[in-house]
Amino acid sequence: MPVASLRGGRPFADHRTVVEGIIYRYRTGIPWRDLPRDPFGSWRTVWKRHHRFTQDGTWDKILTALIAEADAAGQVDWDVSVDSSINRAHQHATNTTRPE
Protein backbone atom coordinates (compact mmCIF):
# COMPACT_ATOMS: atom_id res chain seq x y z
CA MET A 1 0.00 0.00 0.00
CA PRO A 2 1.24 3.50 -0.75
CA VAL A 3 2.66 5.71 1.96
CA ALA A 4 1.76 9.33 2.62
CA SER A 5 3.47 12.07 0.67
CA LEU A 6 7.24 12.04 0.81
CA ARG A 7 7.16 15.82 1.36
CA GLY A 8 5.78 15.27 4.83
CA GLY A 9 2.35 16.13 6.09
CA ARG A 10 -0.16 14.09 8.01
CA PRO A 11 0.40 10.31 7.96
CA PHE A 12 -2.26 8.11 6.41
CA ALA A 13 -5.04 6.71 8.60
CA ASP A 14 -5.06 2.91 8.93
CA HIS A 15 -5.34 1.36 5.45
CA ARG A 16 -7.42 -1.58 6.68
CA THR A 17 -10.13 0.65 8.17
CA VAL A 18 -10.30 2.84 5.08
CA VAL A 19 -10.42 -0.10 2.64
CA GLU A 20 -13.18 -1.70 4.73
CA GLY A 21 -15.08 1.60 4.47
CA ILE A 22 -14.70 1.60 0.69
CA ILE A 23 -15.87 -2.01 0.45
CA TYR A 24 -18.82 -1.29 2.77
CA ARG A 25 -19.84 1.69 0.67
CA TYR A 26 -19.84 -0.33 -2.57
CA ARG A 27 -21.55 -3.32 -0.98
CA THR A 28 -24.42 -1.24 0.42
CA GLY A 29 -24.66 1.34 -2.36
CA ILE A 30 -24.92 4.26 0.05
CA PRO A 31 -23.62 7.75 -0.74
CA TRP A 32 -20.16 8.59 0.60
CA ARG A 33 -21.63 11.05 3.12
CA ASP A 34 -23.77 8.31 4.69
CA LEU A 35 -20.78 6.13 5.54
CA PRO A 36 -20.94 5.31 9.28
CA ARG A 37 -18.31 7.32 11.16
CA ASP A 38 -17.98 4.86 14.04
CA PRO A 39 -16.12 1.99 12.38
CA PHE A 40 -14.66 3.81 9.34
CA GLY A 41 -13.85 7.36 10.40
CA SER A 42 -14.61 10.43 8.34
CA TRP A 43 -16.26 9.77 4.97
CA ARG A 44 -13.95 12.40 3.48
CA THR A 45 -10.89 10.37 4.45
CA VAL A 46 -12.35 7.23 2.90
CA TRP A 47 -13.37 9.05 -0.29
CA LYS A 48 -10.00 10.81 -0.65
CA ARG A 49 -8.10 7.54 -0.29
CA HIS A 50 -10.40 5.82 -2.78
CA HIS A 51 -9.94 8.70 -5.24
CA ARG A 52 -6.17 8.79 -4.78
CA PHE A 53 -5.81 5.01 -5.20
CA THR A 54 -7.96 5.14 -8.33
CA GLN A 55 -5.89 7.93 -9.85
CA ASP A 56 -2.45 6.45 -9.12
CA GLY A 57 -3.32 2.88 -10.19
CA THR A 58 -3.16 1.28 -6.73
CA TRP A 59 -6.54 -0.46 -7.15
CA ASP A 60 -5.38 -1.94 -10.47
CA LYS A 61 -2.22 -3.29 -8.82
CA ILE A 62 -4.20 -4.78 -5.94
CA LEU A 63 -6.69 -6.46 -8.29
CA THR A 64 -3.89 -7.85 -10.46
CA ALA A 65 -2.09 -9.29 -7.43
CA LEU A 66 -5.29 -10.82 -5.99
CA ILE A 67 -6.28 -12.43 -9.29
CA ALA A 68 -2.76 -13.82 -9.81
CA GLU A 69 -2.73 -15.29 -6.31
CA ALA A 70 -6.20 -16.82 -6.69
CA ASP A 71 -5.35 -18.18 -10.14
CA ALA A 72 -2.15 -19.79 -8.83
CA ALA A 73 -4.22 -21.47 -6.13
CA GLY A 74 -6.71 -22.73 -8.74
CA GLN A 75 -9.56 -20.62 -7.39
CA VAL A 76 -10.35 -18.77 -10.64
CA ASP A 77 -12.61 -20.34 -13.25
CA TRP A 78 -11.81 -18.69 -16.59
CA ASP A 79 -14.65 -20.41 -18.49
CA VAL A 80 -17.38 -17.98 -19.51
CA SER A 81 -20.68 -18.86 -21.09
CA VAL A 82 -22.90 -16.18 -22.58
CA ASP A 83 -26.27 -16.86 -24.13
CA SER A 84 -29.21 -14.74 -25.20
CA SER A 85 -30.76 -14.78 -21.73
CA ILE A 86 -27.72 -12.89 -20.41
CA ASN A 87 -26.64 -10.81 -23.37
CA ARG A 88 -29.62 -9.15 -25.01
CA ALA A 89 -29.37 -6.83 -27.96
CA HIS A 90 -31.38 -3.65 -27.92
CA GLN A 91 -34.32 -3.71 -30.31
CA HIS A 92 -32.66 -1.09 -32.50
CA ALA A 93 -29.44 -3.11 -32.70
CA THR A 94 -30.95 -5.55 -35.16
CA ASN A 95 -31.49 -4.91 -38.86
CA THR A 96 -34.89 -6.55 -38.97
CA THR A 97 -38.14 -4.72 -39.36
CA ARG A 98 -40.80 -4.62 -36.69
CA PRO A 99 -43.84 -6.77 -37.28
CA GLU A 100 -46.91 -4.69 -38.04
Side-chain angles (χ1 to χ4, degrees), residues 55-66:
Q55 294 296 316
D56 69 8
T58 300
W59 287 129
D60 294 332
K61 293 174 190 172
I62 291 171
L63 180 61
T64 302
L66 289 174

Side-chain angles (χ1 to χ4, degrees), residues 55-90:
Q55 294 296 316
D56 69 8
T58 300
W59 287 129
D60 294 332
K61 293 174 190 172
I62 291 171
L63 180 61
T64 302
L66 289 174
I67 288 175
E69 186 177 320
D71 191 29
Q75 298 173 334
V76 178
D77 183 11
W78 293 104
D79 295 331
V80 177
S81 176
V82 178
D83 62 10
S84 63
S85 65
I86 296 172
N87 189 8
R88 296 182 188 268
H90 190 269

Side-chain angles (χ1 to χ4, degrees), residues 20-84:
E20 286 292 330
I22 293 167
I23 292 169
Y24 178 83
R25 189 262 177 185
Y26 276 105
R27 187 175 60 234
T28 60
I30 61 174
W32 288 106
R33 290 179 185 256
D34 291 343
L35 196 65
R37 186 176 188 86
D38 184 30
F40 307 119
S42 170
W43 70 268
R44 287 180 185 91
T45 302
V46 178
W47 179 84
K48 284 179 186 177
R49 190 84 52 86
H50 174 263
H51 184 71
R52 178 179 289 175
F53 286 178
T54 300
Q55 294 296 316
D56 69 8
T58 300
W59 287 129
D60 294 332
K61 293 174 190 172
I62 291 171
L63 180 61
T64 302
L66 289 174
I67 288 175
E69 186 177 320
D71 191 29
Q75 298 173 334
V76 178
D77 183 11
W78 293 104
D79 295 331
V80 177
S81 176
V82 178
D83 62 10
S84 63

